[in-house]
Amino acid sequence: MGPRFKDYYTILGVIRTATQEEIQRNYRKLARKYHPDVNKAVWAEDKFKEIQEAHEALGDPEKRARYDSLGPQWRDGQDFSPPPNWGPTAQYGDTMEFDFGDQAAGEDDHSDFFESLFGKGFRHFDERFDAAWERAKASDPHMQKAQTSKDLQAEVEVALEETLYGCTRRLTIRPTHAPNIKPRTLEVKIPSGIRNGARVRVPGQGVPGWAGSKPGDLLITVKVKPHPFLSPDGDDLRLSLPLSPWEAMLGGRYYLPTLEGRHATTIPPGATEGSRFRIHEQGLAGRNGDRGDLIVEVMLVYPRELTDNERVLLEKLKKKSGFNPRPWEEEKDFGKE
């Protein structure tokens, strides 16, 4: 029974006519990718050893020539009979076509590597390394799991004022479920008009799949911190304006908090509890570029305790004011027994 054959060219992801520079370049790339200190997959260490073995045979021109003649017995010079039609029968681009013939089950000429990937009797394969392992995932659930790219989740907080014109945040990404990926720092643009709970997608900043496949995305959930005075209502903002009874009766000019600082406005005399005033274009940024309004609602506030001067003034007002809020007391017979 002949020795089992390993195709070191396929392991290194190069064609048989590759230059030594191409072999060295692919070796360095794969060695970095599957080094046990970098790749924590359960099969990475075995893959790394296989890559080292292939490089030992092909990295030196003399050893490579012996391997091309003797196959896996190149170390000790034993004769080796490669599979039928071992040489390439056709070449097109970076893909080569090999003919392994119609081999019966149980023959040892067939490579363990190709048997595990494609089964016996397979005739045509793409010799590019990643393409071959791309097909292998269909039969290996561990590879399927390792290959799948993943989206990363992150969360940032922004102030309500920052939603008006947008802002940037610097994020350090540390994938907990992909320890082989080094932390990285990104500057992410939070767009104008963002709302609480909205998500910002950063393409290509997630966890990459196996063999260099396209990585997932970074999904950032935006949390808008509550403002101490302003409450969002769609594109509008709402503000409760506390006024004392005499301020509401007399009216006046007051400064209101807005997203861009204080804004002066005049409250007309006679404002009552719940009276509303709309200040245009002092709300949130809308999706169409317009701004909402600031809706001000009057809230009457009474002092819990009166000073002596306040009490004297109010007693004078009570005596001299002709205002009676109880209309039924104006009836002539009201109060008579």
Side-chain angles (χ1 to χ4, degrees), residues 222-289:
V222 178
K223 297 295 184 182
V224 179
K225 291 184 289 188
H227 193 277
F229 308 116
L230 303 172
S231 301
D233 183 5
D235 290 346
D236 295 331
L237 288 173
R238 291 186 175 274
L239 170 67
S240 292
L241 176 61
L243 294 178
S244 66
W246 45 90
E247 288 176 328
M249 288 185 291
L250 297 174
R253 191 169 180 81
Y254 300 97
Y255 288 100
L256 309 179
T258 70
L259 297 182
E260 298 177 279
R262 66 179 191 171
H263 178 86
T265 190
T266 299
I267 302 298
T272 59
E273 175 79 20
S275 297
R276 293 182 182 180
F277 306 92
R278 183 179 293 268
I279 302 176
H280 295 289
E281 297 186 347
Q282 288 296 323
L284 296 171
R287 293 185 178 181
N288 57 1

Side-chain angles (χ1 to χ4, degrees), residues 6-263:
K6 282 189 176 182
D7 182 2
Y8 291 149
Y9 287 99
T10 297
I11 291 173
L12 292 183
V14 296
I15 60 177
R16 292 182 62 82
T17 57
T19 65
Q20 290 299 128
E21 289 76 11
E22 291 172 330
I23 289 175
Q24 292 295 336
R25 184 167 59 249
N26 270 32
Y27 163 71
R28 287 192 294 268
K29 180 180 72 173
L30 295 172
R32 285 194 301 268
K33 186 173 184 178
Y34 295 106
H35 194 285
D37 291 341
V38 176
N39 196 319
K40 302 302 181 183
V42 294
W43 40 264
E45 184 175 357
D46 292 339
K47 190 65 190 171
F48 180 75
K49 291 178 180 179
E50 190 176 45
I51 292 166
Q52 294 286 80
E53 179 184 333
H55 180 256
E56 183 183 357
L58 303 183
D60 181 88
E62 293 184 4
K63 293 179 180 179
R64 178 182 178 183
R66 294 180 60 192
Y67 169 77
D68 289 341
S69 300
L70 302 176
Q73 303 305 323
W74 62 274
R75 290 186 179 87
D76 48 24
Q78 296 179 11
D79 291 336
F80 171 74
S81 298
N85 300 318
W86 159 237
T89 60
Q91 181 174 347
Y92 39 96
D94 61 352
T95 303
M96 298 191 69
E97 179 181 284
F98 288 80
D99 187 354
F100 284 92
D102 295 327
Q103 304 206 26
E107 290 183 348
D108 292 319
D109 292 358
H110 220 295
S111 164
D112 284 346
F113 180 71
F114 290 118
E115 286 181 6
S116 65
L117 291 184
F118 312 113
K120 301 185 186 303
F122 182 81
R123 290 178 178 273
H124 306 297
F125 68 96
D126 186 342
E127 198 177 61
R128 290 171 298 185
F129 180 81
D130 290 345
W133 279 83
E134 177 72 17
R135 298 178 184 179
K137 71 175 184 179
S139 59
D140 190 335
H142 296 288
M143 289 182 63
Q144 291 174 353
K145 183 177 181 180
Q147 175 168 314
T148 304
S149 61
K150 293 182 175 63
D151 291 336
L152 290 180
Q153 305 284 342
E155 184 176 296
V156 298
E157 273 193 339
V158 299
L160 187 62
E161 293 87 342
E162 292 178 300
T163 68
L164 186 57
Y165 298 110
C167 59
T168 58
R169 284 292 185 271
R170 184 182 293 269
L171 300 178
T172 299
I173 307 301
R174 296 184 178 88
T176 56
H177 58 286
N180 57 313
I181 298 181
K182 295 181 179 180
R184 61 190 185 276
T185 300
L186 306 173
E187 278 200 355
V188 179
K189 171 69 175 177
I190 307 299
S192 169
I194 197 74
R195 297 293 187 262
N196 184 51
R199 294 205 301 183
V200 175
R201 181 182 295 271
V202 185
Q205 292 298 330
V207 178
W210 192 86
S213 62
K214 183 179 179 181
D217 299 334
L218 173 62
L219 302 178
I220 303 173
T221 300
V222 178
K223 297 295 184 182
V224 179
K225 291 184 289 188
H227 193 277
F229 308 116
L230 303 172
S231 301
D233 183 5
D235 290 346
D236 295 331
L237 288 173
R238 291 186 175 274
L239 170 67
S240 292
L241 176 61
L243 294 178
S244 66
W246 45 90
E247 288 176 328
M249 288 185 291
L250 297 174
R253 191 169 180 81
Y254 300 97
Y255 288 100
L256 309 179
T258 70
L259 297 182
E260 298 177 279
R262 66 179 191 171
H263 178 86

